[in-house]
Amino acid sequence: MYGETGSDGAERASSTGTTVTEGEPDRALTFLRERLTEGRTGPGRLILVSGGVASGKTRLLDEFLDGAVRDGVRALGATGSADERDLAGGVIDQLLAGPDLPPAAAEEAAHTMAACADTGRRRAAGASGAASPDLTHAVWRLARALLAAARERPTVLVVDDVHLADSASLLLLTHLQRRLRPTRLTMVLALRDTASQGDRAPRPDRHTVFTRHPHHHLRLAPLTERAVREMLDGRAGDGAAARIHHLAAGNPLLAGALAEDCLTTGDIGAVPAAGGAFTRALTSYLDRWDLPLTEVAGVLAVHGGRVPAPLLAALVGIEPGVAGAALDALTRSGLLADGRFRHAAVESAVLAGLPPEARTAAQLRSAEAKFRQSAPPREVAAHLVAAGSAPAHWTVPVLRAAAGQAVADNDPDFAVRCLELALTAADTTAGKRLVLAELAHHTWRMAPSASRRYLQALRRLPADDSTPPTRTEAAAVARQALWEGDEPGWRASRRTLAAMAPDSRTGTGLHLAHTWWFGPREDGSPTQAESAAPSGPDAPAEPPADDPWRLAATALSGMWARPGDSASTDAAERLLRSCRLADDTLEALMTAVLALVHAGRTRDAETWWRSLKAEADRRGAVTWQAVLTGMWSSAVLRSGDVSYAADLARHALSLLPAEDWGAAICDPLGTLLLAWTEAEEYERAADLLTHPLPDGVLRTLPGVRFLRARGHYLLATGQLLAAVADFSECGRLLTALGTDLPAVAPWRADLAAARLALGDEEAARRLAAGQLALAAETDGCTRGLALRVLALTGDPGELRGTLRQAAGEFTECGHRWEAYRTSRMLDRVPQRRAAAQAPRTPGPERGAGSRSVASVSVLPRLSATARTEPESSGADTLSTAELRVAELAALGRTNLEISGSLSITVSTVEQHLTRVYRKLGIRGRSQLAAHLAPRE
């Protein structure tokens, strides 16, 4: 082969000739042409060219012959072939078939071929294989004719793969070699290196017969990196030549194929395609050997790692000695190192080049061999999955064990593939139940709709009383019930899990999962539906009252009744530090994060949320990612960043297709609805209402939260009666769930705002007062909402004081969105009071309700009254988000500074400012300050 040698080659003299080792094609060709130039005037000479498989000998000889013909030299060429090795005169026939053969030699050629034919007939009849006197004499006469012609005119005779020539042709070549010096004949004979040919039955005489007399020996070594660079001719980027040289181990055939792939696809050594040049070249290279390298390389690629010769022989079906020789040949070729493929790209190309049926058979043989060697289940399963078949009874437990390992290794896709294959191999109902349950359990975190299908298939199996449900099956059923808002189904599966005596940590997860979806009672304990558990002598023992997990769950559940109190926040931190994210801890951890948010500790909550999200990302749990992002979008909206909250909600919705969402879709959908309502993107908000919701979701707390968000959209767009209906329905649903707690949904304050917009001041005041009475002292959000409505329905002289108190409540609990809106109301109170107290002309639409209409318009976009009257102008028309941006711009902040202060993108800042300028009728930020100042 061509390869890395010095640029000047390496010469070694002997008593019979000179050996030159060359690793660059151009220099090797130059060497041959120089010898031909010397031989054109005599004396004649012999040049042996040797190299390994696919070392570039044939291409070199073709270029050499073409050059000789162009220079006017008589050229005779032939190629030895394994299938003509026993055909007398096969190479002679090729040499003498050219048009440039001298007439005298042509006449002798006819006699020689006749003698060869006679020899062939005698061999067929069982006579000795030795050359007959007639054949020997005919060959001698032919040699004399060729030598005579070479004295008259320079002649070159080239035979490729001379080691495969038949005996009669070898006889002619040795005759010529011994007599060529007084002629102008240059003989070039190419043969494969004996050290790399890998012949099963080598014939040393064919390799050494020509080295007994004076000769030149050109040995083709692996390509140099410079040769590869010249091959690319500057058409590839830096480093391409080095990488190609490394991957091809200097082999010209492989290097040329890699260069082709590089120039056509721009990729070098990536996972090769089945039809790629590198794959085709490697398949051709392996097929050229006398050893079964294609089969051996295929098994090595499938099996992975080092394979001892005895095992390799058994897997391929060959003798151990042949397997050892094949391993040696692959190692000498540079494809293997320490028994393994030197590069993954080579292994991939070998696999890509195998026929599908051969690949499948090799995978199955490797799987069984590794199983018998007690290899790790995942290693065995990899072969079964690659084969797409699990024909033996032992494969099911192996595949199930491998799936468990894959889940632990954060590779859920491989786990599912293992289990789906195991399902095809399971031959009993009990076995199918186990596999379907595990499929349902493991697929939920990636595709809940797939989990649902597996559970449906599980239910369709015949009843088997002798095989009770496993804990995995019960957990999968419970999880799906929660996801679909099916409280009766959850209750049944919860009892099944309780009967299996889960530990305190699992019990905590179940308790907090229920409160997340269906809510706690007013004291923070689980509702009666959740508490239902089996009783009797076989019932599991309740954990002791002082069990730390039970105490933490109870304290954290209290955040719904007393949001922000120290007991729930302390419990939240303990749980966040003690629990790893899992299917059975997801709701517990989200509840803990939300408890910190309600306590005004938004930064701490965000740190924990980012940690949980990163864990979900790392483990490929798309469902976890979607639920966590949807939950956090509402927290971001609460903090006041409407744009970022909308971005988060949209991202959460994009993570799962519509068929995979359950009740959890209500959180990002509701957040997006509120955000677009706040931004006055009413058409986009209306589009969200057409989004189909899964059945039963409104019977869950996320569903109630979405219903509340819809009510606020209806209120903002003037659909007051529909808004009243939605807020009232929130109250009915919470009452039915047994969890009518203000922190879950302060529906009375919402309904009060809607009734106020309708002009029913008395009902609004009564609802707001009732809401304030129910709100815990720590529930600043609910208290702030109620106080704000009471301010608008109370004594005008107390308006500022009550609004200031509401703003303080919002600020204390970290609800910056509502705090900002209330503060803006305070800034506008003088103007609004004057408007409220101005004389009015009673009319059919006003009268007693006129004051409430004017007052409620202070609530930014929570009243639709302004939408039914002529639009006002000035700062009052700006949304909350637009006002925040406009105020910072009026202070001289740049767009980049505003972006950093409000945690929104620069693009969002620019969009807000564009709308501000249009609404205020100004041209730029220099005019903002005058238009934003409150009017007395």
Side-chain angles (χ1 to χ4, degrees):
M1 290 188 293
Y2 300 132
E4 282 194 340
T5 62
S7 60
D8 295 330
E11 292 192 5
R12 186 177 69 255
S14 70
S15 59
T16 57
T18 301
T19 298
V20 175
T21 300
E22 189 55 71
E24 297 188 18
D26 289 345
R27 294 181 64 85
L29 183 59
T30 298
F31 176 84
L32 290 180
R33 286 175 173 170
E34 287 174 351
R35 302 291 80 77
L36 177 59
T37 299
E38 295 168 357
R40 293 182 68 170
T41 58
R45 63 200 58 229
L46 171 66
I47 307 167
L48 297 180
V49 179
S50 67
V53 174
S55 57
K57 298 188 305 297
T58 300
R59 181 174 181 179
L60 173 66
L61 297 182
D62 286 344
E63 292 182 0
F64 172 64
L65 271 177
D66 290 343
V69 172
R70 287 194 299 270
D71 291 341
V73 176
R74 179 183 289 120
L76 307 176
T79 300
S81 174
D83 57 0
E84 293 186 3
R85 181 180 285 181
D86 296 324
L87 179 64
V91 169
I92 295 175
D93 186 45
Q94 295 179 61
L95 285 171
L96 306 180
D100 208 13
L101 189 67
E107 183 178 344
E108 296 298 339
H111 293 301
T112 302
M113 292 311 299
C116 287
D118 183 61
T119 299
R121 286 191 294 271
R122 289 192 299 104
R123 286 178 183 172
S128 171
S132 67
D134 290 342
L135 176 59
T136 303
H137 184 69
V139 168
W140 176 74
R141 289 170 59 88
L142 176 60
R144 286 186 62 189
L146 290 173
L147 292 169
R151 291 188 188 96
E152 300 171 359
R153 177 183 170 188
T155 302
V156 61
L157 184 149
V158 176
V159 180
D160 192 9
D161 287 342
V162 71
H163 56 284
L164 299 177
D166 60 280
S167 56
S169 299
L170 285 174
L171 183 62
L172 170 66
L173 296 176
T174 54
H175 273 309
L176 293 173
Q177 178 193 17
R178 288 192 293 266
R179 295 168 176 81
L180 60 77
R181 287 192 63 80
T183 70
R184 291 188 286 173
L185 174 63
T186 300
M187 292 179 63
V188 181
L189 307 179
L191 47 85
R192 189 181 299 175
D193 278 344
T194 56
S196 61
Q197 67 180 4
D199 285 343
R200 301 185 194 182
R203 303 171 72 171
D205 58 308
R206 295 176 180 246
H207 297 172
T208 60
V209 66
F210 299 106
T211 62
R212 298 170 185 168
H213 302 281
H215 65 280
H216 295 284
H217 184 185
L218 174 62
R219 182 178 176 274
L220 302 182
L223 283 176
T224 63
E225 185 178 324
R226 185 173 74 175
V228 176
R229 194 177 300 110
E230 291 175 355
M231 179 190 300
L232 292 171
D233 193 24
R235 292 174 292 170
D238 296 340
R243 181 162 175 78
I244 289 174
H245 179 262
H246 172 70
L247 286 176
N251 182 280
L253 176 66
L254 302 183
L258 284 168
E260 180 182 338
D261 284 340
C262 172
L263 296 174
T264 55
T265 67
D267 227 344
I268 307 171
V271 179
F278 183 50
T279 298
R280 295 194 304 271
L282 185 58
T283 301
S284 172
Y285 175 74
L286 296 173
D287 283 342
R288 296 184 185 195
W289 289 74
D290 296 322
L291 291 164
L293 291 200
T294 299
E295 295 80 359
V296 169
V299 167
L300 289 174
V302 165
H303 202 74
R306 189 184 302 121
V307 183
L311 176 59
L312 182 63
L315 292 172
V316 180
I318 56 179
E319 294 296 325
V322 177
L327 287 173
D328 290 342
L330 287 170
T331 301
R332 287 194 302 271
S333 71
L335 296 179
L336 292 187
D338 193 27
R340 295 179 173 87
F341 283 105
R342 195 165 48 83
H343 196 281
V346 177
E347 182 175 303
S348 299
V350 170
L351 286 173
L354 288 177
E357 60 278 5
R359 190 183 310 127
T360 298
Q363 294 284 9
L364 291 176
R365 287 197 299 269
S366 291
E368 185 169 3
K370 289 187 176 182
F371 172 72
R372 297 189 185 286
Q373 294 174 333
S374 300
R378 183 163 185 180
E379 193 174 329
V380 178
H383 294 293
L384 296 172
V385 170
S389 176
H393 67 278
W394 56 264
T395 60
V396 175
V398 168
L399 288 165
R400 289 182 57 220
Q405 288 180 357
V407 171
D409 295 339
N410 302 324
D411 190 358
D413 288 333
F414 183 73
V416 171
R417 293 173 68 189
C418 286
L419 291 173
E420 286 181 335
L421 185 58
L423 188 61
T424 66
D427 54 3
T428 65
T429 299
K432 291 182 184 297
R433 289 191 71 87
L434 287 172
V435 176
L436 283 169
E438 288 168 353
L439 276 167
H441 179 68
H442 294 316
T443 54
W444 180 81
R445 67 182 63 172
M446 296 185 299
S449 60
S451 178
R452 184 188 310 117
R453 289 193 297 271
Y454 291 127
L455 288 175
Q456 290 170 347
L458 186 60
R459 296 186 189 102
R460 289 195 296 268
L461 288 176
D464 186 357
D465 295 336
S466 64
T467 308
T470 63
R471 184 168 174 176
T472 299
E473 180 179 339
V477 173
R479 166 54 60 193
Q480 198 64 36
L482 287 175
W483 191 246
E484 295 175 355
D486 177 13
E487 190 174 14
W490 155 258
R491 193 182 308 127
S493 56
R494 173 71 178 88
R495 285 196 295 268
T496 302
L497 286 171
M500 295 175 179
D503 53 51
S504 299
R505 174 189 163 283
T506 303
T508 298
L510 292 170
H511 169 88
L512 292 172
H514 184 275
T515 60
W516 179 266
W517 295 96
F518 304 115
R521 290 205 304 257
E522 294 184 13
D523 60 359
S525 64
T527 62
Q528 187 63 36
E530 187 208 2
S531 300
S535 58
D538 297 329
E542 283 288 322
D546 61 349
D547 178 81
W549 287 100
R550 182 173 183 174
L551 291 173
T554 302
L556 185 54
S557 293
M559 62 89 62
W560 298 107
R562 298 172 300 281
D565 71 341
S566 59
S568 61
T569 53
D570 290 346
E573 289 190 313
R574 285 196 295 272
L575 273 173
L576 286 166
R577 290 192 174 95
S578 303
C579 288
R580 186 189 182 201
L581 182 60
D583 286 346
D584 59 354
T585 63
L586 177 62
E587 289 86 0
L589 293 170
M590 288 197 298
T591 304
V593 170
L594 201 59
L596 296 179
V597 171
H598 281 230
R601 296 173 53 183
T602 307
R603 288 192 176 181
D604 292 339
E606 182 174 9
T607 299
W608 281 110
W609 172 75
R610 289 190 181 280
S611 174
L612 295 172
K613 177 66 165 49
E615 176 73 2
D617 293 345
R618 185 178 68 83
R619 297 172 67 182
V622 182
T623 305
W624 293 352
Q625 297 170 32
V627 174
L628 287 166
T629 305
M631 177 275 295
W632 188 247
S633 68
S634 63
V636 170
L637 184 63
R638 177 188 178 98
S639 74
D641 194 339
V642 178
S643 178
Y644 182 38
D647 289 343
L648 281 172
R650 282 198 301 269
H651 178 60
L653 292 169
S654 72
L655 289 172
L656 290 176
E659 64 270 17
D660 277 334
W661 275 106
I665 195 175
C666 293
D667 281 332
L669 206 59
T671 298
L672 196 55
L673 184 58
L674 284 173
W676 279 341
T677 299
E678 170 64 16
E680 295 183 342
E681 299 279 357
Y682 296 129
E683 289 185 4
R684 300 176 75 182
D687 288 341
L688 293 177
L689 299 183
T690 65
H691 196 293
L693 295 178
D695 294 338
V697 298
L698 295 183
R699 296 191 295 271
T700 66
L701 296 196
V704 172
R705 290 192 287 267
F706 173 77
L707 197 61
R708 179 173 181 251
R710 190 174 74 182
H712 281 293
Y713 160 77
L714 295 170
L715 184 59
T717 55
Q719 303 175 67
L720 303 183
L721 295 178
V724 167
D726 272 359
F727 294 141
S728 300
E729 181 66 7
C730 287
R732 189 192 68 76
L733 290 171
L734 290 177
T735 301
L737 286 169
T739 181
D740 185 9
L741 296 171
V744 174
W747 63 271
R748 291 175 179 84
D750 299 330
L751 185 57
R755 296 297 291 268
L756 184 59
L758 283 170
D760 193 347
E761 217 174 299
E762 179 59 32
R765 185 166 42 249
R766 184 177 63 256
L767 285 163
Q771 188 74 92
L772 187 62
L774 290 171
E777 288 297 321
T778 57
D779 188 0
C781 176
T782 301
R783 293 178 61 81
L785 292 173
L787 285 169
R788 195 163 63 189
V789 175
L790 287 173
L792 299 174
T793 59
D795 187 344
E798 299 176 358
L799 176 59
R800 288 190 61 86
T802 308
L803 284 178
R804 192 176 293 111
Q805 184 183 356
E809 293 281 0
F810 289 130
T811 301
E812 184 70 20
C813 72
H815 206 317
R816 290 188 291 172
W817 178 27
E818 293 293 0
Y820 183 84
R821 299 169 75 189
T822 309
S823 297
R824 291 304 304 165
M825 291 169 62
L826 274 167
D827 292 343
R828 302 170 194 173
V829 161
Q831 172 201 352
R832 294 303 183 183
R833 284 185 59 194
Q837 294 172 355
R840 297 183 182 275
T841 303
E845 299 293 331
R846 292 189 177 272
S850 62
R851 180 178 176 274
S852 65
V853 170
S855 299
V856 80
S857 64
V858 177
L859 281 169
R861 284 161 313 286
L862 287 182
S863 168
T865 306
R867 312 292 296 178
T868 60
E869 296 177 356
E871 290 197 11
S872 57
S873 61
D876 297 339
T877 65
L878 303 182
S879 70
T880 304
E882 290 164 353
L883 266 174
R884 285 183 299 169
V885 171
E887 288 171 342
L888 291 174
L891 293 174
R893 303 281 185 89
T894 67
N895 288 0
L896 184 60
E897 290 171 336
I898 298 171
S899 168
S901 298
L902 301 180
S903 299
I904 58 178
T905 65
V906 173
S907 175
T908 301
V909 174
E910 293 169 348
Q911 293 171 18
H912 284 328
L913 285 175
T914 299
R915 287 195 291 266
V916 168
Y917 298 156
R918 185 179 67 249
K919 290 181 179 181
L920 298 183
I922 61 177
R923 293 188 175 183
R925 65 180 66 205
S926 61
Q927 299 174 276
L928 281 171
H931 286 74
L932 294 178
R935 293 172 290 176
E936 297 294 338

